[in-house]
Amino acid sequence: MKGLPFENRIWDPAETLPREELRVLQGRRLAETVSRAARVPFYREALARAGVDAQAVRAPEDVERLPFTVKDDLRRNYPLGLLAVPRAEVARVHGSSGTTGKPTFVAYTRKDLDTWSGLVARFLVAGGLRPEHMVHVAFGYGLFTGGFGLHYGIEKVGAGVVPAAGGNTPRQVMLIRDLGAEVLICTPSYALHIGEVAKAEGYGPGDLPLRYGHFGGEPWTEEMRLAIERSLAIQAFNNYGLSEVIGPGVSGECGARDGMHVQEDHFLVECLDPETLEPVPDGEVGELVITSLTKEALPVLRYRTRDLAALDRRPCPCGRTGVRMGRVVGRSDDMLILRGVNVFPSQVEEALLRVEGTAPHYLIEVSRPGALDEAVVKVEVRPGDFSDEMRQMVELRDRIDREIHSVTGVRMTVELVAPNTLERSAGKAKRVLDHRKTPA
């Protein structure tokens, strides 16, 4: 593809299957998945309630007849009540962090792990990874699927791995520099923090050996991509996955960076209105609902991800035929309703990154002291733009206020805070504190 610093390589020929061949494969694999899921008491009962005969599922469109799965179903079947294979066949267990209670667990057979690493290899190669590269992984290693998922995908490609895990950011910068990592893998917010620390230590854009970055684990905007690229002088690529389905590897960007190719030979993806659960037209934002097609240990039928994105079926110049999904603009359960207006944290991030002088580190605090909602946005000022002069800070605050109102349609109270005031995390960034949900 013209204008790219690397050739377009396809890791797996399945990525370019003609659509009709892909449809036949999906139908066969969907039938196998439903039969496998029917061994699980939870799904056997859910299929019976929906009036679905597992043996009658034959075509991809039959997915619309299947029952939905939600995260609470995994919680109610804690720890591994949805397991579709004998426990002796379980090769690994991952899950959520369990910060709001018990974790939700998912399991993998050895074949699942091989499938998973191959899916990760696909999007990494599409985004420039080559066997000769060294890759710095700053994801946490543990129950979270990000660290191990990316690690084994990198090894599948044949590249070298620095399993740095998260935290101790000055040490991360040192390792990147000393070991010559060309590729960075972490959350986008942590990538930006690495750039900040590198700058504080005297490194300018391009001084580190990094060339590419693959970021996921949290929603991020195009403005955030540009900020990361300016900070680290890299090309940044987006990828998507979730542990309940498999982990990272559900989709990822190619060199065109015009949406993330869904690996449709392994996942059936629907885009539905989160309220009516009816399909939305291509190009319109809806909730992603995913059915696994090849997962052995813990298959999922029509899993409601709560992630909001749009689908794009137009041909891509890279030759991959999988439908592309746009950026996750937010989660249906993270959406804030302020005075009747739907607001996503990503919209605030977009507004902040349009204003010169602000860092994309922010915290939205929502409360209802009286009859109306009130939202305060704490925004970090970049070190070089922080000033003791009141007039300059008032002008900056007013510019931020106007931009937030322009993007969201809601007036929020803007509170400027000093550089490095807000908490940093190597994991998912905490963007919202909704005190309305806190019991009195």
Side-chain angles (χ1 to χ4, degrees):
M1 287 175 289
K2 187 177 180 181
L4 292 181
F6 54 83
E7 65 174 318
N8 178 42
R9 293 188 189 177
I10 305 292
W11 175 258
D12 188 330
E15 297 175 71
T16 59
L17 275 178
R19 293 297 303 180
E20 189 52 41
E21 288 184 33
L22 178 60
R23 183 180 177 280
V24 172
L25 179 62
Q26 287 178 324
R28 186 178 79 244
R29 287 181 168 177
L30 178 63
E32 294 168 354
T33 290
V34 174
S35 294
R36 186 180 300 117
R39 304 171 193 163
V40 180
F42 166 79
Y43 276 126
R44 189 162 55 245
E45 294 168 9
L47 289 166
R49 285 195 302 271
V52 176
D53 177 2
Q55 302 306 312
V57 174
R58 292 287 181 268
E61 52 267 26
D62 290 336
V63 73
E64 298 175 8
R65 300 164 45 212
L66 301 179
F68 292 99
T69 309
V70 297
K71 190 155 191 168
D72 275 349
D73 293 326
L74 276 76
R75 293 192 178 107
R76 282 192 290 268
N77 287 277
Y78 178 91
L80 290 172
L82 300 187
L83 198 62
V85 298
R87 288 181 71 99
E89 295 183 21
V90 174
R92 195 189 303 164
V93 173
H94 279 287
S96 68
S97 61
T99 54
T100 57
K102 288 184 177 181
T104 54
F105 290 126
V106 290
Y108 302 78
T109 64
R110 297 207 174 278
K111 185 177 178 182
D112 287 336
L113 293 176
D114 187 59
T115 297
W116 187 16
S117 61
L119 292 174
V120 173
R122 288 185 186 186
F123 77 73
L124 290 174
V125 168
L129 182 64
R130 302 294 181 255
E132 62 268 22
H133 288 158
M134 183 69 73
V135 186
H136 185 95
V137 179
F139 270 134
Y141 281 74
L143 282 179
F144 173 58
T145 54
F148 283 105
L150 270 298
H151 183 111
Y152 288 105
I154 296 161
E155 290 189 341
K156 190 94 165 181
V157 175
V161 187
V162 180
N168 195 344
T169 310
R171 182 170 177 268
Q172 303 271 1
V173 174
M174 180 193 73
L175 291 174
I176 291 169
R177 179 199 65 202
D178 293 351
L179 294 175
E182 294 99 337
V183 183
L184 173 63
I185 287 178
C186 57
T187 62
S189 58
Y190 194 56
L192 204 60
H193 184 46
I194 288 174
E196 291 173 336
V197 171
K199 182 179 180 181
E201 295 188 356
Y203 297 101
D207 287 346
L208 295 176
L210 294 173
R211 296 170 59 197
Y212 310 117
H214 293 272
F215 308 121
E218 62 189 16
W220 55 306
T221 61
E222 190 64 22
E223 287 78 8
M224 174 76 93
R225 189 208 299 263
L226 294 174
I228 292 170
E229 291 185 335
R230 284 193 299 265
S231 174
L232 294 170
I234 62 173
Q235 278 200 313
F237 292 83
N238 198 1
N239 66 80
Y240 173 78
L242 61 166
S243 61
E244 294 86 355
V245 174
I246 199 167
V250 173
S251 67
E253 287 183 319
C254 66
R257 298 197 298 176
D258 187 21
M260 293 174 278
H261 290 277
V262 178
Q263 316 290 4
E264 286 192 274
D265 53 326
H266 291 269
F267 309 101
L268 263 179
V269 61
E270 304 170 79
C271 193
L272 308 182
D273 183 304
E275 299 299 326
T276 67
L277 297 179
E278 292 295 320
V280 302
D282 286 353
E284 186 174 311
V285 171
E287 180 182 335
L288 300 180
V289 175
I290 299 176
T291 298
S292 65
L293 295 177
T294 54
K295 189 88 183 290
E296 290 185 335
L298 211 151
V300 289
L301 305 181
R302 302 192 89 187
Y303 183 75
R304 292 192 60 181
T305 69
R306 301 293 182 181
D307 291 325
L308 299 171
L311 298 181
D312 183 354
R313 300 181 197 277
R314 295 174 300 169
C316 182
C318 76
R320 293 173 178 83
T321 53
V323 62
R324 283 168 289 162
M325 57 174 278
R327 290 183 174 278
V328 173
V329 298
R331 291 178 53 84
S332 59
D333 50 1
D334 280 352
M335 180 180 71
L336 294 168
I337 302 178
L338 301 174
R339 300 167 216 152
V341 179
N342 297 343
V343 177
F344 293 101
S346 60
Q347 291 177 294
V348 174
E349 178 182 296
E350 177 186 342
L352 294 179
L353 286 164
R354 292 181 182 180
V355 180
E356 186 68 25
T358 63
H361 300 295
Y362 63 95
L363 180 67
I364 306 168
E365 294 198 52
V366 185
S367 60
R368 187 178 293 145
L372 297 176
D373 297 323
E374 291 187 5
V376 176
V377 185
K378 295 182 177 180
V379 181
E380 276 193 19
V381 180
R382 290 191 316 205
D385 294 281
F386 194 74
S387 172
D388 291 331
E389 189 174 329
M390 181 67 71
R391 181 182 59 81
Q392 291 183 16
M393 292 295 94
V394 169
E395 289 177 354
L396 177 59
R397 185 196 63 197
D398 290 346
R399 289 202 305 272
I400 295 170
D401 175 63
R402 289 193 298 269
E403 203 63 49
I404 290 176
H405 182 255
S406 172
V407 173
T408 67
V410 174
R411 287 288 181 194
M412 302 185 188
T413 301
V414 177
E415 182 181 320
L416 302 181
V417 299
N420 301 309
T421 300
L422 300 177
E423 182 182 356
R424 305 292 198 268
S425 172
K428 297 182 181 182
K430 181 72 174 177
R431 300 301 195 193
V432 179
L433 285 178
D434 193 341
H435 300 293
R436 297 173 302 180
K437 299 177 183 178
T438 304

